[in-house]
Amino acid sequence: MTESVTEPRIAVLSEVVRNQIAAGEVIERPASVVRELLDNAVDAGATRITIDLEEGGMRLVRITDDGIGMGTADLGLAFEAHATSKLRKPEDLDHIASLGFRGEALASMASVSRAKIRSRPRGQDIGGEIVEEGGQRGRITPAGMPEGTIVEVRDLFFNTPARRRFLKREQTELARCMDVVQRAALAHPADESGAGGIGFTVNHGGRRAFDVEPTMDLAARIRRVFGAELAEELERVESQKGTTRIYGYVAPPRFARRDARRQMWFLNGRPLKDKVLMRILKDAYRGVLVHGLQPVGFLHLWLDPESVDVNVHPAKSEVRLRDERSLFGFLVNAIREAVMRTNMATPGESMIDSVRRREERSLQRETLPDPGPMGARGRVSEAWIPRSPGGASPGAGIGSAPAPWGGAATPAPQGGYEVRDVHGTAPPPSVEGEGSPEHADWHAVDDLRGPYLQVDRTYLIRALPDGFEIIDQHALHERLTFEELRKEVGDGKVEIQQLLTPELVDLTQAEVALVSEHAESLRRIGVHVEPFGEKTVAVHGIPVRIRRPDPEGIVRDIIDVIARTGKAPDAEDVLEEVLHRASCRSSIMAGDALDQSSIRALLERARAAGTDQTCPHARPTRVKFSLHELEKAFHRK
Ligand code: ADP
Ligand code: MG
């Protein structure tokens, strides 16, 4: 092959190709079209925005707004790449207050679709219209229309089949478009006085799919999008420091889910999916969230535009925060305070529901063998819930055990229950109807009063004025030990219990080095350990709080955590984990028989500790059944 010297191999790309390349970054699917057009409508000062979709947006996305509009001169430039009204000079990039600024959304879209803009500026009698198809621009023609702007994007990727093939089913694309609109709706709520909000309406295939009124505040919008069950349980976050302000809502930990779809951050009104902000929310739930789940929260963050760089991501969904560290602590604390206020109790209702579902499933599989009466470690919930006809007979449940309230019951090896008369002093209270004066008195005098029933040496059951609760003794004790230890460490006065003979633990040389390096900070958390030869350490003392000490286990746990995190054992996050593990080791294990007075002592400690609804690993410590739920379960209502 001969190469011509005069004809270069390099050529400057045509504008259409350049725009299609940009579209590759900015316009991925119909939902990205919706996002960019919504941004433009918001930037134009709209108060009502209507989104019409066909075939999940693949056939059509049309966005109508009542914003400031564009005159003919602007219409002629709107489809031009890098044409924007939102920036002029380089310095403007340092304090962007609009959602858009790159001037490439309309140009990108028009290079891969059949696009049309109609617009009538506020205060003018007539509007104009311009069409662009696959990058081929038409002329501006006059158009009669109300004030505002209508942008239509039809047949997305009609000229780029390779990209069209990446689109999913109509329902999937629609769901993504809805997600964008719902985030936008939550990004622009009305304030307390009902002002300043933007209304959104979505029609799909001509049918109304979603709408929020401009006057709805954030709480009302969350309720509209996610329903009353969630909205009712939200706690408000509100805090301010200098020009930094956060407000919004967080849900109790039990609403957490695998995906982050119910986690929304808005920075200066811009919906974001920013990793740092997601970390902050997760940190605020530390210790009350099941590992691997994403908390549910809707948070508006207001920062001085100078302290944010939004120009780091083509889709503008990530940002760079200046002074991230100090912001981090402030936000985590503000959110955590609200998280701790959420209702962390596990409602029995959800348990009843899940048992019902299980029953329904097992009814469908009637050919399976009868599960038989509960084994020694049978689940308490199965005993309490009415069983389907094919299940174990109700007689196997504790409800029919003789004198169930007379003492602590533990399962006999063959199932069924033996009732041990432990103290048997208090007269058995009956669970009475709501509003009974007798039980009101009973609880006014002493609301921790027993008797308590212990099941399977694991669960404690006690009557409440309006139902009963089941407590997981191990989970509760673990939570208490953890809280108490954490408080002592925080106050800098962990009581150390010196061991009469130090316990020797064999380790590797590297582990011994690790321990000696951190000996001082280990001391601060109540573990007194020193090297004892090359491959051994001696444990001299451990925190008094820790019952049934297992010094070797504690030391190995700590080494494990330090080695993994590379941090000192009293660094805050490491400390939490070390304390979790230590409290787990020390706790009353499932399997301890407890008498009435030790149960009572445990409940009193729980009351004093305050946060006792979940164990440090976020399993619930107690499940409450209200009379109302019992009535439902037994079909009395
Ligand atoms: P950017 O939003 O980054 O400026 P776009 O390509 O999205 O770039 O839009 C280009 C310009 O078109 C905007 O800067 C704005 O002046 C104008 N524009 C776009 N949509 C609207 C709208 N709905 N109402 C008024 N002006 C609009
Ligand atoms: Mg834009």
Side-chain angles (χ1 to χ4, degrees), residues 53-344:
L53 303 172
E54 280 171 25
E55 294 179 20
M58 294 181 283
R59 171 73 54 211
L60 169 73
V61 175
R62 182 197 300 120
I63 300 214
T64 306
D65 69 58
D66 59 354
I68 54 169
M70 278 176 274
T72 40
D74 284 331
L75 270 185
L77 287 166
F79 282 133
E80 205 66 46
H82 314 297
T84 178
S85 56
K86 302 167 192 175
L87 279 188
R88 284 285 126 88
K89 348 180 254 311
E91 307 86 88
D92 295 345
L93 270 174
D94 292 338
H95 43 82
I96 290 168
S98 55
L99 298 175
F101 57 88
R102 300 167 61 108
E104 59 185 3
L106 289 176
S108 301
M109 278 176 226
S111 72
V112 291
S113 72
R114 305 183 217 274
K116 177 157 92 182
I117 306 176
R118 278 185 287 159
S119 194
R120 176 175 149 197
R122 283 188 190 153
Q124 281 187 25
D125 317 331
I126 186 145
E129 174 178 313
I130 186 166
V131 180
E132 182 161 323
E133 289 197 3
Q136 302 304 311
R137 195 164 311 155
R139 266 207 302 278
I140 301 174
T141 53
M145 59 177 296
E147 289 176 0
T149 302
I150 306 172
V151 181
E152 263 181 32
V153 173
R154 285 185 187 273
D155 304 325
L156 187 63
F157 302 140
F158 80 98
N159 56 346
T160 51
R163 306 211 45 206
R164 196 168 57 231
R165 275 196 290 277
F166 277 100
L167 297 183
K168 300 274 180 350
R169 289 182 311 123
E170 171 172 337
Q171 280 310 313
T172 313
E173 296 300 336
L174 175 63
R176 293 182 190 242
C177 293
M178 294 302 289
D179 182 64
V180 170
V181 178
Q182 290 170 345
R183 282 176 194 267
L186 264 56
H188 302 285
D191 59 21
E192 287 80 31
S193 66
I198 302 179
F200 291 84
T201 303
V202 181
N203 302 305
H204 184 240
R207 309 247 305 256
R208 179 67 46 94
F210 175 72
D211 76 298
V212 296
E213 287 299 309
T215 50
M216 289 166 78
D217 64 11
L218 181 59
R221 287 172 190 234
I222 296 172
R223 177 178 296 258
R224 174 63 55 86
V225 174
F226 297 113
E229 197 200 329
L230 172 64
E232 233 110 80
E233 297 280 356
L234 295 174
E235 281 293 333
R236 187 164 169 101
V237 177
E238 181 136 42
S239 195
Q240 180 153 14
K241 189 175 102 186
T243 51
T244 303
R245 173 167 178 247
I246 179 171
Y247 98 95
Y249 294 91
V250 288
R254 80 188 121 92
F255 283 87
R257 37 194 292 145
R258 289 197 184 287
D259 59 81
R261 258 180 306 184
R262 296 194 171 181
Q263 196 173 101
M264 299 193 184
W265 277 98
F266 308 97
L267 174 56
N268 297 346
R270 174 196 303 275
L272 287 183
K273 291 184 181 164
D274 184 79
K275 288 198 195 67
V276 175
L277 296 178
M278 288 171 80
R279 260 285 306 285
I280 288 176
L281 187 58
K282 200 144 200 194
D283 261 41
Y285 278 82
R286 180 134 36 89
V288 295
L289 196 68
V290 174
H291 185 73
L293 293 190
Q294 295 286 344
V296 173
F298 310 93
L299 295 154
H300 276 262
L301 175 60
W302 296 93
L303 294 177
D304 181 352
E306 305 258 348
S307 66
V308 202
D309 189 355
V310 289
N311 188 23
V312 292
H313 188 269
K316 295 166 288 188
S317 63
E318 283 173 29
V319 293
R320 198 169 293 134
L321 302 171
R322 298 188 185 128
D323 202 12
E324 202 172 283
R325 289 218 128 257
S326 75
L327 189 65
F328 207 96
F330 164 69
L331 294 177
V332 170
N333 288 337
I335 301 169
R336 187 167 182 84
E337 184 271 320
V339 169
M340 289 318 190
R341 259 188 282 124
T342 61
N343 171 15
M344 299 205 197

Side-chain angles (χ1 to χ4, degrees), residues 13-29 32-33 35-36 79-83 102-112 156-157 160 163 313-316:
L13 295 173
S14 78
E15 196 181 327
V16 175
V17 177
R18 281 203 305 249
N19 289 339
Q20 287 185 350
I21 291 172
E25 282 186 325
V26 187
I27 307 297
E28 217 183 328
R29 49 188 356 115
S32 2
V33 173
R35 186 192 60 226
E36 292 295 337
F79 282 133
E80 205 66 46
H82 314 297
R102 300 167 61 108
E104 59 185 3
L106 289 176
S108 301
M109 278 176 226
S111 72
V112 291
L156 187 63
F157 302 140
T160 51
R163 306 211 45 206
H313 188 269
K316 295 166 288 188

Side-chain angles (χ1 to χ4, degrees), residues 567-583:
K567 296 189 194 166
D570 57 353
E572 198 178 338
D573 42 342
V574 179
L575 175 68
E576 296 237 336
E577 191 170 341
V578 167
L579 295 184
H580 280 176
R581 296 216 196 174
S583 36

Side-chain angles (χ1 to χ4, degrees), residues 438-513:
E438 204 182 305
H439 84 241
D441 289 354
W442 166 50
H443 273 273
V445 175
D446 178 4
D447 68 350
L448 284 185
R449 195 165 89 164
Y452 319 100
L453 175 67
Q454 191 189 34
V455 178
D456 204 18
R457 298 186 182 211
T458 302
Y459 303 104
L460 309 173
I461 299 176
R462 75 180 183 115
L464 299 171
D466 62 340
F468 70 95
E469 70 178 353
I470 306 173
I471 297 160
D472 177 329
Q473 66 185 43
H474 173 59
L476 178 61
H477 190 251
E478 201 177 307
R479 168 54 89 179
L480 294 177
T481 309
F482 173 69
E483 290 299 338
E484 290 161 354
L485 259 174
R486 179 158 65 176
K487 184 162 187 315
E488 286 184 356
V489 173
D491 295 347
K493 39 181 169 226
V494 189
E495 267 183 82
I496 299 187
Q497 156 191 358
Q498 295 297 335
L499 305 179
L500 283 179
T501 42
E503 174 138 338
L504 300 183
V505 184
D506 292 330
L507 300 170
T508 66
Q509 243 168 325
E511 287 170 336
V512 173

